[in-house]
Amino acid sequence: MLAPVPRPPGSFALRCSRALLAPRARLSMLALLLLTAAALVVLYEPQRLLSSGWPQQTGGAGAVLLFALAYGVCTAAFVPRPVLNLAAGALFGSAAGLTAAVAGTVLGAGIAFTLGRFLGQDALRPMLRGRWLTAADGQLSRHGFRSMLAIRLFPGVPFAAANYCAAVSRMGYVPFLLATAIGTVPNTAAYVVAGAQADEPGSPAFLFSAGFIVVSGLAAAVVAWRKRHGLRAPAPVVTPEPEPVGAAR
């Protein structure tokens, strides 16, 4: 009688590692990580610490860098960027506040893009079905920089949703981060200036920034409504041309 073939050492560990690295397992890890981050934001409200509890003795370039790092982590954990932008302006002024906010925005976008790319792309790409999803994926994959620049300039698209949609697509890191750095400047600058001039609500800078925020928000709502109406419209029906009489069969 033949003796049973012994299993090679480490086979159980190999199977466990394969199971953990499977697309669905990684997607579950991403969902758990995002839910945990959202719960921590609700419980501890880190945006309040950045806006009102920032140590007064910290200043200079080191404080700007530290704020940018905290901004990036908070943004990746779904803290609203407008609150952080206002805090950056109130704490550091217009120039340094804008630098910290843009750097934090790029950092937070990079964190979310990395998580979505390595933990969610393989599991989510086979689910890209339907008219809207396939159109968005094709646009982001073929025209990454141009599409992401338009999304960042368009204030109606949620920041986190754009990050993870780009991660699931085939867009590269460099176009994504470069478009994020450039496209978020106008809207971010408006909030930062508003935060820096909050103690002078009648100043021209505050009024201009507040007006820009209102106008850009209204424009985003109008464009979103028009795009939604266009997507709801039924696709045109293509009627086949009649075959000529007497055609060969």
Side-chain angles (χ1 to χ4, degrees):
M1 186 174 182
L2 297 176
V5 179
R7 293 183 179 180
S11 59
F12 178 74
L14 182 61
R15 290 197 301 270
C16 290
S17 62
R18 287 179 178 176
L20 291 175
L21 293 177
R24 291 188 178 181
R26 285 183 288 163
L27 181 61
S28 300
M29 293 171 57
L30 177 61
L32 179 61
L33 184 62
L34 296 181
L35 288 174
T36 303
L40 291 176
V41 169
V42 173
L43 290 175
Y44 295 103
E45 298 182 346
Q47 65 273 18
R48 290 192 175 184
L49 176 63
L50 293 181
S51 59
S52 60
W54 189 259
Q56 296 296 329
Q57 63 272 18
T58 56
V64 174
L65 177 61
L66 182 61
F67 183 90
L69 294 175
Y71 185 115
V73 174
C74 290
T75 302
F78 308 111
V79 174
R81 288 182 59 247
V83 177
L84 301 177
N85 293 333
L86 291 172
L91 292 172
F92 304 108
S94 299
L98 179 60
T99 302
V102 173
T105 297
V106 175
L107 176 61
I111 293 173
F113 188 88
T114 302
L115 291 175
R117 176 60 54 92
F118 287 100
L119 296 180
Q121 187 188 45
D122 292 340
L124 292 176
R125 281 203 65 81
M127 303 179 186
L128 293 178
R129 301 171 183 174
R131 184 177 178 184
W132 290 10
L133 292 178
T134 53
D137 175 67
Q139 188 70 20
L140 290 172
S141 299
R142 291 191 301 268
H143 311 287
F145 176 79
R146 184 178 67 186
S147 302
M148 185 51 56
L149 182 63
I151 289 173
R152 296 310 191 192
L153 291 171
F154 184 69
V157 179
F159 184 73
N163 294 336
Y164 289 105
C165 287
V168 174
S169 72
R170 302 188 189 279
M171 181 187 300
Y173 267 92
V174 174
F176 172 77
L177 295 178
L178 186 59
T180 298
I182 298 174
T184 55
V185 169
N187 196 260
T188 302
Y191 279 96
V192 170
V193 172
Q197 301 293 326
D199 54 345
E200 299 179 7
S203 62
F206 181 87
L207 295 176
F208 179 80
S209 60
F212 180 85
I213 294 171
V214 173
V215 172
S216 62
L218 292 176
V222 172
V223 172
W225 181 83
R226 294 186 63 180
K227 290 291 183 181
R228 183 180 181 185
H229 179 74
L231 288 173
R232 281 183 172 182
V237 179
V238 180
T239 56
E241 296 182 359
E243 296 184 359
V245 181
R249 294 178 180 262

